[in-house]
Amino acid sequence: MAALHLSCVAAAAAPAPLLSDYSHSAWGAVQGAPVDVLKFAQGQDGWLWIATATGLYRYDGVHFERSDSVYGHRLPSSNVLDLAATPDGAIWVGYRLGGLTVFREKGARTYGEADGLPTGAVFHIEQAPDGAIWVGTRDGAARLAPGAQRFEAQGENVGLPTRRVYQVLFGRDGTQWMGTMHGVFFRQPGQARFSHAWPRTMLTSMGEAPDGAIWAVDNQNRYFRVRTTEPPGKGPLKPDALGNGIRFDRAGTMWLFNPDGIERKFVPGGPSLPAQRLTRQNGISGPLPQSSFQDREGNLWFGTSAGLDRLRPNRLKTLPVDVPFDHPGMLPGPNGDVWIGDYVGDIRSFTADGVKKVELKGQLAASHWAPDGTLWLGNELGLHHRAVNGAFTPVALPPGVAGLDPQALQQDRAGNLWASFSGGGLFRRTSGTWIKDGGLSGLPTALATAMAMDGQGTVWMGHADNSISLVGDGQHAGAVRRLGEADGLQVGTVLQLYRDGDAMWAGGEHGVALYRGGRFHALRGAHGEPFRGVSGMVRLPGGDLWLHGADGIDHIGAASLAAWIKDGTAVEAERFNALDGLQGHAAQLRPVPTLIRAPDGKLWFSTAATIAILDPAQIRRNPLPPPVQIVTVQADGAPYRPDAGQPLHLPQGSKNLQIGFTALSLSMPERVRLRYRLTGVDAGWQEPVGRREAYYTNLAPGSYRFEVTAANEDGVWNTQAATLDIVIAPTFVQTPWFKLLLALGGALLLYGLYVLRIRRLKRGMHERLQERLQERLAERSRIARSLHDTLLQSVQGLILSFHAHAHMLPQGTRERARLDGTLNLADQLLIEGRDQIMDLRAVAPPDELPLALQEFGKGLAQHRAHAFTVRVSGVCRRLLPCVHDEIYAIAREALFNASRYAEAAHIVLELDYAEQAFTLRVRDDGCGLDDAVAQAGRPGHWGLVGMRERAASIGATLNLGSRPGAGTEIEVIVPGQLAY
């Protein structure tokens, strides 16, 4: 047993490796970053400025941007050597070839030899506590007093050398230090002149240690503690450290530069530790680190010959160990510590500072603190039971499971131990005997992956098939109840069961669920996240819930969790992952649980090779809200420079707008949240994901205000949103006058469409009337032909028959005379019937005068031996109704008379639709009329008289020309203003 109670004390724990305490990021030319970085500075607006020999750069946490100007003012030279940012927002830039420029939003000024500045390269710019600007140059130092317009040389007049002043440093005690080619000079408060310190050799770079000591490096990469009094002995001083640069961060840690990398030193001048070095082997951007800086969020920046590097302090502390773990398992220890075992090492006790001692030889696969205060530990070789007094007892494994890892252990109230073995099944140990499945029926064959016991003594067993078995205690002993998908369980393989008062949590590969009220309720995040692969859960006394799963660590506040329990409101979860120093993810089978709460209240998280520690009461937070800036504006593809406080007037007709903005947070830009809105367009705040630009299209003319704000990784919002007023002037077509004209034009267009519609309707009606006319004319012609071919022909035949019979009677007899009289009457009736048939075929609707007369004339020609022709000139127009009726009647009468009496061979009808007058002519080549008939008409006939009367009634002129044997022409002329 002695071998099981080793109390050997391990060697003192080494400090955590550098890259466990910090998250490292490196950028180079491939990422578009500057190279050969000479100096850093951070302005009051949050931009990180970077000086190189080929130009000035700035960085917002996402993009590196080469800048030929500052605040809109151009740099005189791109060969920048030094930088400084002062509290008043000014950026001071020193050049390798001499001169410096101060940039402010309202303007810029460049100082040179004429302004009292020494010539040559500007090595260093520093602001003194009194606001004065001190400059170290190739040819000495100079001071610009507050409000002064010229620099004042600081050389022999104050006890300083006049060549090569490399650095100016103001100590915390008020002492001013100057690094020069002849060594360091210092001046204490109240003194007018500088004194020479030791060693008296070229010292180019200085740093102040936490104890106030000044460290300086010479040109041979040797670091010395600067002494204000002459050291004993006459020999040269021995260096206190080797390196070519130095920085003491705000915590007092010393960072030493070497040609191949940087090194963290907890004790200045202490031994070099490989785990504290950042070199090309573990990812530094390049050799020859030569500049450093600590930004206002606490990040450390280092410039190298090939790029730059950032070290961000991790929120999670990695447990320091000499050899990485191999799938560690954890459990709270009995003495305020944490016990950890893995697949290759012994079970050891740890504090947050490192290992204490070995508690038990052998590996760890599963563990369980029993309700009676005893402890069970197990691996593939066996189980060990630790009594309350600390004594360990080995326990034999069930038969057939040797070499198989125990997955889960649980002791019930009766003292029986339930044990699940991967590939070996489930057993219960009662009175020293192992029983397969505890002798119970109803347990599944799927692996029992997790176990817990509730307040009633029921043992809960989670399985790999999304099910949970409940084994009762006391009066329910021997009963097995199954819970699964029908009960709301949808977590897949159950990885942990965690008792929370009267409720039970289940974590699995697909999510987390809480069993209460007889049913499981799935936990969901505000964006629908299911909290995958959770194998570690802890509920703190204050009500906060912590989860450790496949996607990292999730923290759910008590208030948010209470709201979810009450009404199902999605929870707000804070996630910690690799950005916070978590290396790996939670185990997805064993050892579990992967999250425990140590006796001191800290949370321990296990991954495949590390243990991370977090104190939930002292989480490292970033209290600085990120400054927000609007950096670019494009309207219809053309760039515009936004001026703070000034409205941006865009050209007339601008429609498409693209606005670029940024949030100046350098720690975790990946977690910065931005939101923006354009008043008059956006109904609420828009929150982009993965972009820092806003796009708008089809903007109307008017005034707009664009606002953008941001929150850092801890949800601290910048309440001072960046704003930009935008004015888009309207083009003429966008003015109210144009809209009025457009409305009038629209009204005219509608009226025109109305007129066209009416015309179309009239045309359609005209076409339909013409079709009906054609149909009527055709029908009347058919009737006329039928009457002519049947009735009239029959009557004509009958009359001819009677004539034949009449010729058989003697001439002069009374019967012959009476029969001739009757036949004459029949001939007259026949002629009148034929005339009525002609009238039947002649109809003249108002719109079709030429067509009607043409049909009438053709009908006459069918019964006479003459030809008939119609000639129409001009554009047919509709005559006034009264004019139409009279012209139609006159034309019919003229055509009828010519056909019946003129004995003509050809009759011509002419219609002339001239603008000045309408003319009707009827001409024939018949026998003509004598003068008496032409003047008064035939005795007993009223045709010519009627035509003249009709012409006079419409204001027309009727002309009749005829000679015997030469034909007749009747012409009717109606003036245009009377005709149409």
Side-chain angles (χ1 to χ4, degrees), residues 168-427:
V168 183
L169 187 151
F170 292 91
R172 289 187 292 272
D173 64 356
T175 301
Q176 182 178 1
W177 302 85
M178 307 288 287
T180 76
M181 65 178 297
H182 300 293
V184 170
F185 291 77
F186 67 96
R187 181 172 64 177
Q188 294 176 343
Q191 294 181 341
R193 295 183 63 83
F194 286 86
S195 300
H196 203 174
W198 283 267
R200 293 182 172 178
T201 183
M202 179 185 291
L203 297 174
T204 59
S205 177
M206 299 179 292
E208 184 179 17
D211 60 0
I214 301 299
W215 289 66
V217 65
D218 66 7
N219 58 351
Q220 298 180 31
N221 295 338
R222 299 179 299 175
Y223 259 95
F224 300 90
R225 287 187 179 93
V226 176
R227 294 161 172 82
T228 58
T229 59
E230 185 176 3
K234 299 298 183 180
L237 290 176
K238 293 183 179 180
D240 297 285
L242 296 179
N244 61 341
I246 196 171
R247 169 168 289 278
F248 289 94
D249 63 23
R250 295 185 190 124
T253 303
M254 180 181 186
W255 298 86
L256 196 62
F257 301 178
N258 292 291
D260 64 338
I262 60 175
E263 180 181 354
R264 177 173 64 167
K265 283 185 172 293
F266 296 98
V267 179
S272 178
L273 302 175
Q276 304 304 321
R277 290 174 57 82
L278 179 64
T279 65
R280 297 300 297 273
Q281 283 67 40
N282 53 9
I284 197 170
S285 62
L288 299 179
Q290 55 196 352
S291 58
S292 63
F293 180 72
Q294 189 169 20
D295 65 30
R296 62 185 186 179
E297 296 170 89
N299 305 294
L300 288 165
W301 295 84
F302 299 94
T304 72
S305 61
L308 68 162
D309 299 77
R310 181 190 63 195
L311 290 177
R312 181 183 62 237
N314 286 329
R315 300 187 181 198
L316 298 170
K317 177 182 178 181
T318 300
L319 184 67
V321 291
D322 293 331
V323 179
F325 292 109
D326 185 354
H327 295 86
M330 308 178 296
L331 63 148
N335 301 311
D337 48 13
V338 173
W339 288 17
I340 302 175
D342 61 2
Y343 286 168
V344 296
D346 298 326
I347 300 173
R348 297 171 290 175
S349 58
F350 286 82
T351 66
D353 294 327
V355 65
K356 287 172 54 181
K357 63 178 181 177
V358 175
E359 300 290 348
L360 179 66
K361 296 291 289 184
Q363 303 166 10
L364 177 66
S367 64
H368 169 60
W369 277 104
D372 58 7
T374 63
L375 173 65
W376 293 89
L377 301 171
N379 56 36
E380 77 278 11
L381 300 178
L383 299 176
H384 291 89
H385 183 240
R386 182 184 185 276
V388 177
N389 62 5
F392 278 95
T393 302
V395 177
L397 295 174
V401 301
L404 301 178
D405 284 320
Q407 173 67 29
L409 304 172
Q410 178 67 48
Q411 181 178 305
D412 61 22
R413 284 182 174 176
N416 303 315
L417 178 68
W418 287 88
S420 169
F421 293 88
S422 178
L426 180 66
F427 295 85

Side-chain angles (χ1 to χ4, degrees), residues 653-675:
S654 297
K655 288 182 174 295
N656 301 320
L657 186 63
Q658 178 180 335
I659 303 175
F661 46 84
T662 189
L664 296 155
S665 182
L666 305 182
S667 288
M668 292 188 186
E670 301 88 347
R671 290 186 184 165
V672 168
R673 293 174 58 190
L674 292 122
R675 60 186 184 187

